[in-house]
Amino acid sequence: MHLAYPAVLAALLFCIGLYGVLARRNAILVLMSVELMLNAVNLNLVAFDVWLRDTLHSGQALTLFTIAIAAAEIGIGLAIVLAVYRNRGTSDIDRLRDTAETDAAETLPDDAETGRAETDGAANGDAATATDRAGGNTGKTKKAEAAT
């Protein structure tokens, strides 16, 4: 058998997995795409091991090691995805990025232009500033919204 057949198949599997990692929004589908990419690497390892006629079969041994690492990765990754789904109610990657928690220092930044800390918007009658501070927007976003 020629080396080109498994190499082309591995390249196609890797490209499908790469597309899945870049295009999918669901975390479980991203994990499945990573597994496709790892299987493409395993196919290349075994194909080149057979083609080179290695007496130690190091390509096959490395493939077994990669399978063990991939199994551990999928187990831990799935546990993390399930924990995030229970806490947030979604496994959508874009929504997880939007609902990230921020530090208290990021929610109440100092006003750089005047050198004073921002005052409470509710005391000044500015309801948008108080709402933004409760929502966790940063200083630049508050200034842009206050200007409109």
Side-chain angles (χ1 to χ4, degrees):
M1 178 169 64
H2 295 285
L3 182 63
Y5 298 130
V8 168
L9 180 62
L12 288 174
L13 278 175
F14 193 85
C15 289
I16 292 170
L18 186 65
Y19 173 75
V21 167
L22 296 176
R24 297 292 177 189
R25 302 289 183 237
N26 191 347
I28 295 175
L29 292 178
V30 170
L31 286 174
M32 288 175 57
S33 298
V34 169
E35 288 296 318
L36 268 178
M37 293 168 62
L38 287 172
N39 285 330
V41 170
N42 288 339
L43 182 62
N44 268 335
L45 284 171
V46 170
F48 277 97
D49 183 53
V50 170
W51 184 62
L52 293 174
R53 295 188 178 109
D54 187 14
T55 57
L56 296 176
H57 300 291
S58 57
Q60 294 177 17
L62 190 57
T63 298
L64 290 175
F65 181 72
T66 306
I67 289 171
I69 295 296
E73 173 259 332
I74 200 70
I76 292 172
L78 193 58
I80 290 171
V81 168
L82 288 174
V84 167
Y85 182 77
R86 285 181 185 161
N87 288 335
R88 305 270 172 104
T90 184
S91 63
D92 188 12
I93 294 174
D94 290 335
R95 285 188 170 184
L96 294 178
R97 189 178 316 139
D98 292 341
T99 59
E101 295 179 12
T102 58
D103 292 339
E106 292 179 7
T107 57
L108 297 173
D110 289 335
D111 193 1
E113 285 85 24
T114 60
R116 61 179 173 80
E118 295 181 8
T119 59
D120 189 17
N124 293 335
D126 187 9
T129 306
T131 305
D132 289 342
R133 191 172 288 136
N137 290 341
T138 58
K140 292 185 181 184
T141 308
K142 285 190 271 187
K143 290 176 190 174
E145 289 176 0
T148 57

